[in-house]
Amino acid sequence: MTTTPITPAQAGFDTREMVVVHRGLRRESRLLIELIGAVEPGDTARAKVLAEHFDLYRLGLHGHHTGEDELLWPPLLARVDLEAELVLRMEAQHERVAGSLAVAEQMAGAWAAGAGVTERDALVAALVEHRAALIEHLDDEETELLPLAQRLLTAAEWHALGEHFVESTPKPQILLLLGIVLEDATEQERAQMLGGLPLPARMIWYVMGRPMYARMVRRVRG
Ligand SMILES: [Fe+2]
């Protein structure tokens, strides 16, 4: 199909922001597998810390995907013709990601109770399966869907995604999730992401969020 590409500058928004968010999800889903796999049998204190971190990860991923389900797919589906199949594929992938996450959630509950080795290995296997579904989806979304969104969405529709996330996420957790997103962002990406926030939110990040996130990283990664 021949369409003139619209640059982020022309569109007034940049869908590559989502690649930065995904980078955080990719890292945390990998770390959960590694860190949980390394917990000694019976170490319930460590299991509690990591089970809590898994809760935070689930909150972030759920918020991200709910926003896409509600605010990204509907306007795109209304505007695509040939690519409708692509948007429907995204929906199906979200279901697989959510299903595998629900299985891991059940396993996490069983493991956190006594930090048993059988439960730990079952949880790790569930997380590996979840991550495979997640990575397939993120790769596909970044390669196929984001260029389409860049071409077809308005800046207001794109920014509604971030606003939805902020409104629907509890406040202390949102600072930690922002830390997850910013950790592996380049200098330029970090400036772009923080620049999109209102000044008071940016101040809260610097004063409260950054130290809170640093403490969390020390606790979780041991
Ligand atoms: Fe996404």
Side-chain angles (χ1 to χ4, degrees):
M1 183 168 30
T2 52
T3 36
T4 317
I6 299 174
T7 66
Q10 286 168 329
F13 67 100
D14 189 349
T15 59
R16 287 170 302 188
E17 284 170 3
M18 197 181 280
V19 177
V20 185
V21 174
H22 288 178
R23 211 178 290 149
L25 293 170
R26 289 172 191 271
R27 185 193 61 246
E28 294 306 314
S29 59
R30 174 178 54 77
L31 281 173
L32 280 167
I33 293 167
E34 293 172 5
L35 294 170
I36 291 172
V39 175
E40 295 293 335
D43 189 350
T44 48
R46 185 82 187 122
K48 184 168 181 284
V49 168
L50 291 173
E52 271 173 24
H53 191 60
F54 180 51
D55 286 342
L56 178 70
Y57 167 81
R58 285 195 300 112
L59 183 76
L61 182 57
H62 178 75
H64 180 69
H65 280 179
T66 308
E68 292 179 345
D69 289 337
E70 290 176 11
L71 298 165
L72 199 51
W73 313 152
L76 280 177
L77 266 180
R79 271 160 238 176
V80 292
D81 183 8
L82 288 172
E83 292 108 329
E85 184 272 333
L86 169 62
V87 182
L88 297 172
R89 190 165 83 225
M90 293 293 120
E91 287 184 334
Q93 288 174 353
H94 270 196
E95 280 176 27
R96 277 206 298 282
V97 169
S100 61
L101 194 60
V103 172
E105 184 189 356
Q106 278 188 347
M107 305 282 177
W111 173 64
V117 68
T118 311
E119 290 82 359
R120 181 197 68 192
D121 292 348
L123 171 56
V124 167
L127 286 170
V128 167
E129 197 155 327
H130 161 67
R131 189 165 195 271
L134 177 74
I135 299 298
E136 183 198 2
H137 167 61
L138 299 182
D139 286 348
D140 206 11
E141 186 171 285
E142 289 172 15
T143 313
E144 306 292 339
L145 196 281
L146 291 184
L148 195 67
Q150 187 71 67
R151 202 168 79 227
L152 295 176
L153 291 183
T154 66
E157 285 167 339
W158 178 257
H159 291 132
L161 270 178
E163 286 153 18
H164 170 274
F165 191 81
V166 171
E167 280 160 21
S168 61
T169 309
K171 292 303 162 268
Q173 283 93 331
I174 209 161
L175 288 173
L176 296 174
L177 292 168
L178 182 59
I180 284 176
V181 168
L182 294 179
E183 182 175 328
D184 288 331
T186 65
E187 204 61 45
Q188 194 193 354
E189 288 166 345
R190 191 171 297 128
Q192 188 178 351
M193 307 284 292
L194 287 170
L197 297 176
L199 182 62
R202 236 176 305 161
M203 295 306 292
I204 291 171
W205 162 248
Y206 284 118
V207 175
M208 290 174 60
R210 238 175 7 170
M212 197 192 282
Y213 184 68
R215 280 195 299 277
M216 186 203 82
V217 165
R218 274 201 301 276
R219 195 170 64 244
V220 166
R221 299 185 199 168

